[in-house]
């Protein structure tokens, strides 16, 4: 089964060894060299995060989107796709942070505008978020780039395979007599490809090892009604031809 076929069937797929140790270290170095005093940087005892990651650390884009990664994304999304959200997470080994089952139901946009099917508007850090029609969410593919080995002992994702095919699937309605939970360990230098509608959760860390992950969402679909993706990144560094 191809990466594209498994992603379509299960809502996720793991591909290891997409980056060498040297490539991972180069990405980490670029992050560590960045000024962390800006408003898009969140620092606490449990989490260090960078919102709008590719805008804050633009030099890392060419290190992330290698030819191997571009080839996989083209197979999944076709020739024309672009970044619509990017976040960096550094979950320290001492963190006891748990995330319950959920779907990623919101997108980041440039303004608030009343449009049919766009609901649950919020505004945070000078950015608007909204739940769009499900067809827009279905077009998005998320890549989670792992800069550390991640397993069930330090917060690897757990997912419910095939849950993305059920559209909006409220966690409180999960029928555990039917559904199956799967752990998603990913080695350093691997990527987990995932659909936003796939139900997923993240457990607490018990082995005191770090979990650094770059979360990037991509789409090939423009928004209606002059609404714009607030974090849309040009595709020039993504594809050789546009």
């Amino acid at each position: 089964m191809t990466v594209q076929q498994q992603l379509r069937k299960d809502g996720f797929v793991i591909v290891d060894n997409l980056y060498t140790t040297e490539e991972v270290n180069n990405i980490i170095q670029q992050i560590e060299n960045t000024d962390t005093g800006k408003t898009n940087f969140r620092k606490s005892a449990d989490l260090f995060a960078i919102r709008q990651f590719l805008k804050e650390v633009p030099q890392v884009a060419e290190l992330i989107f290698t030819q191997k990664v571009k080839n996989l994304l083209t197979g999944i999304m076709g020739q024309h796709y672009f970044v619509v959200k990017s976040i960096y997470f550094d979950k320290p080994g001492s963190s006891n942070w748990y995330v319950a089952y959920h779907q990623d139901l919101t997108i980041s946009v440039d303004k608030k505008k009343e449009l049919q099917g766009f609901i649950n508007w919020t505004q945070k850090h000078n950015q608007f978020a909204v739940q769009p029609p499900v067809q827009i969410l279905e077009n998005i593919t998320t890549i989670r780039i792992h800069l550390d080995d991640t397993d069930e002992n330090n917060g690897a994702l757990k997912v419910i395979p095939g849950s993305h095919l059920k559209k909006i699937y409220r966690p409180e309605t999960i029928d555990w007599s039917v559904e199956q939970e799967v752990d998603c360990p990913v080695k350093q230098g691997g990527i987990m490809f995932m659909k936003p509608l796939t139900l997923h959760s993240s457990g607490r860390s018990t082995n005191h090892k770090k979990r650094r992950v770059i979360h990037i969402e991509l789409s090939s679909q423009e928004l209606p009604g002059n609404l714009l993706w607030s974090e849309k990144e040009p595709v020039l560094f993504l594809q050789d031809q546009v």
Side-chain angles (χ1 to χ4, degrees):
M1 189 180 296
T2 67
V3 169
Q4 182 180 12
Q5 289 169 334
Q6 187 170 345
L7 181 63
R8 188 184 302 120
K9 173 180 175 287
D10 293 333
F12 76 100
V13 61
I14 296 167
V15 183
D16 283 318
N17 301 315
L18 283 173
Y19 301 95
T20 65
T21 300
E22 181 181 3
E23 288 172 326
V24 169
N25 288 337
N26 288 339
I27 292 171
I28 292 171
Q29 188 65 51
Q30 292 297 331
I31 296 169
E32 291 180 345
N33 289 341
T34 302
D35 176 11
T36 63
K38 301 177 183 179
T39 57
N40 280 330
F41 291 72
R42 173 187 168 187
K43 289 177 283 186
S44 71
D46 287 328
L47 177 70
F48 171 61
I50 307 174
R51 293 180 295 269
Q52 300 189 34
F53 173 65
L54 291 178
K55 288 187 176 183
E56 296 291 353
V57 195
Q59 63 272 22
V60 84
E62 291 188 35
L63 302 176
I64 289 173
F65 292 102
T66 64
Q67 194 60 53
K68 284 183 182 179
V69 175
K70 289 190 290 187
N71 290 343
L72 285 170
L73 286 171
T74 299
I76 293 167
M77 306 195 71
Q79 288 291 330
H80 301 283
Y81 56 88
F82 42 83
V83 173
V84 296
K85 184 182 290 187
S86 59
I87 310 170
Y88 169 73
F89 294 104
D90 180 351
K91 187 176 178 182
S94 59
S95 172
N96 207 24
W97 190 39
Y98 169 78
V99 179
Y101 267 105
H102 65 285
Q103 296 173 300
D104 293 334
L105 296 178
T106 63
I107 60 173
S108 299
V109 296
D110 67 325
K111 56 185 171 290
K112 183 175 180 179
K113 186 172 184 179
E114 296 303 322
L115 291 170
Q116 185 175 359
F118 286 76
I119 60 174
N120 300 329
W121 286 90
T122 60
Q123 183 179 4
K124 189 190 304 182
H125 305 292
N126 298 316
Q127 184 166 282
F128 292 96
V130 64
Q131 182 178 329
V134 70
Q135 294 83 359
I136 292 174
L137 295 171
E138 288 174 331
N139 180 261
I140 294 173
T141 295
T142 299
I143 60 173
R144 293 172 54 87
I145 301 160
H146 287 248
L147 305 181
D148 299 291
D149 289 342
T150 307
D151 59 25
E152 66 275 10
N153 297 312
N154 66 330
L157 288 191
K158 299 176 184 292
V159 304
I160 299 179
S163 52
H164 66 301
L165 301 175
K166 299 183 180 182
K167 309 293 183 181
I168 305 301
Y169 191 169
R170 300 299 179 190
E172 62 271 18
T173 69
I174 296 173
D175 183 351
W176 290 110
S177 68
V178 175
E179 304 291 9
Q180 178 185 9
E181 179 181 79
V182 174
D183 290 319
C184 297
V186 185
K187 295 184 181 298
Q188 181 190 65
I191 290 182
M192 180 176 178
F193 295 80
M194 188 174 71
K195 303 303 291 183
L197 292 176
T198 303
L199 277 164
H200 58 285
S201 69
S202 176
R204 295 180 173 88
S205 179
T206 59
N207 64 3
H208 303 292
K209 292 184 178 179
K210 296 185 71 166
R211 189 199 73 177
R212 290 169 290 185
V213 175
I214 298 169
H215 172 113
I216 300 176
E217 298 175 16
L218 303 111
S219 177
S220 60
Q221 185 174 356
E222 298 291 355
L223 300 173
N226 295 320
L227 198 63
L228 301 175
W229 300 97
S230 66
E231 297 182 47
K232 181 177 178 180
E233 290 288 335
V235 299
L236 294 178
F237 64 83
L238 292 177
Q239 295 132 304
D240 297 324
Q241 297 179 345
V242 295

